[in-house]
Amino acid sequence: MLEIRNIDVFYGDVQVIWDVAFEVKKGEIVALIGANGAGKSTTLKTISGIVRPRKGEVIFDGAPIHTIEPYKLIEKGLALCPEARRLFVEMTVEENLDMGSLKGEAKKQRQKTKEMVFELFPRLGERRRQLAGTLSGGEQQMVAIGRGLMSLPKLLMFDEPSLGLAPILVREVFNVIKRIREAGTTVLIVEQNTKQTLAVADRAYVLETGKITLQGTGQGLLNDEHVKKAYLGV
């Protein structure tokens, strides 16, 4: 479904991604793990069209997308749940969800998808008329995930979905990610919570200082000595 072909990415004259290549197959949960500053979020921004690769290609559903404007990627079936949630804080929960379904088939199916989101997150149904900025961090993360689902994505990308959440909410977020995949949406996740991420991932890639240094199944990397030492504190 998604293929990253040997991309180099720069911020100005500073290179931050070197020859990165990986793929995400339909129906998978694939994880990018690594330390702060490794280039994980930059990789997602490149896939999303926010940053352009200086070399290489981004292929989605068999077609190149690295030259397409970001807003056009939503209709192609690509959605991102950004780091720090990025909600419209002065809009209600329901209005934030509606912002994820402004065009095409997503707009036609808005009500049906919204009910699915409320089934996934009952608390959002209870707070549908509450301003997003007054919600707890965990509830705001639910809104961000729900907004991403409202666009009916083929591939939903997550950037640090557990950031700042209490442990019980972290477990809930990862359970939701598994349910999203079970419902037919492919998932690419960037996350520093290595143990939880690898536990749900079918496959994963380790990104270190802008380069892919290791890859394997989620379970295989959980048992890898380098991963244990560098990211699990074992």
Side-chain angles (χ1 to χ4, degrees), residues 21-35:
F22 65 91
E23 65 178 8
V24 180
K25 298 174 183 176
K26 185 177 180 179
E28 284 188 314
I29 296 177
V30 172
L32 278 180
I33 63 170

Side-chain angles (χ1 to χ4, degrees), residues 169-214:
L169 292 175
V170 171
R171 288 193 293 273
E172 185 174 348
V173 165
F174 279 98
N175 283 333
V176 165
I177 289 171
K178 287 192 290 185
R179 289 174 63 188
I180 287 169
R181 189 271 295 275
E182 288 164 5
T185 301
T186 304
V187 172
L188 173 61
I189 180 171
V190 156
E191 176 60 69
Q192 286 193 68
N193 189 324
T194 303
K195 187 173 183 179
Q196 292 267 21
T197 304
L198 292 179
V200 303
D202 298 298
R203 294 185 304 108
Y205 298 84
V206 179
L207 194 61
E208 296 179 318
T209 58
K211 301 175 183 178
I212 299 285
T213 58
L214 200 60

Side-chain angles (χ1 to χ4, degrees), residues 123-188:
R123 270 178 287 180
L124 298 189
E126 298 166 5
R127 292 160 173 73
R128 63 197 301 164
R129 309 208 189 285
Q130 188 171 330
L131 295 182
T134 66
L135 299 174
S136 69
E139 289 165 346
Q140 288 188 10
Q141 186 62 65
M142 294 174 195
V143 177
I145 295 172
R147 183 179 58 188
L149 290 170
M150 290 295 293
S151 68
L152 300 177
K154 298 175 184 175
L155 173 64
L156 185 54
M157 300 183 292
F158 293 89
D159 193 356
E160 304 286 2
S162 76
L163 187 67
L165 299 184
I168 190 168
L169 292 175
V170 171
R171 288 193 293 273
E172 185 174 348
V173 165
F174 279 98
N175 283 333
V176 165
I177 289 171
K178 287 192 290 185
R179 289 174 63 188
I180 287 169
R181 189 271 295 275
E182 288 164 5
T185 301
T186 304
V187 172
L188 173 61

Side-chain angles (χ1 to χ4, degrees), residues 43-157:
T43 301
L44 291 191
K45 289 178 182 177
T46 306
I47 296 168
S48 302
I50 298 167
V51 179
R52 303 291 187 195
R54 194 169 293 185
K55 187 200 83 172
E57 295 181 304
V58 179
I59 308 296
F60 181 64
D61 253 2
I65 61 169
H66 52 283
T67 58
I68 294 176
E69 292 298 323
Y71 70 91
K72 294 182 179 178
L73 295 178
I74 296 172
E75 290 185 68
K76 290 186 177 294
L78 196 64
L80 170 66
C81 289
E83 183 180 355
R85 300 177 275 277
R86 307 289 184 184
L87 300 181
F88 299 97
V89 294
E90 295 184 358
M91 296 171 67
T92 67
V93 167
E94 191 161 17
E95 287 167 340
N96 269 272
L97 294 178
D98 288 345
M99 292 298 289
S101 58
L102 294 179
K103 283 191 169 186
E105 193 61 28
K107 187 173 184 179
K108 293 178 186 176
Q109 297 196 40
R110 174 181 289 171
Q111 198 55 42
K112 180 181 177 182
T113 310
K114 198 183 300 181
E115 291 308 316
M116 180 269 290
V117 170
F118 290 151
E119 185 179 334
L120 197 61
F121 300 113
R123 270 178 287 180
L124 298 189
E126 298 166 5
R127 292 160 173 73
R128 63 197 301 164
R129 309 208 189 285
Q130 188 171 330
L131 295 182
T134 66
L135 299 174
S136 69
E139 289 165 346
Q140 288 188 10
Q141 186 62 65
M142 294 174 195
V143 177
I145 295 172
R147 183 179 58 188
L149 290 170
M150 290 295 293
S151 68
L152 300 177
K154 298 175 184 175
L155 173 64
L156 185 54
M157 300 183 292

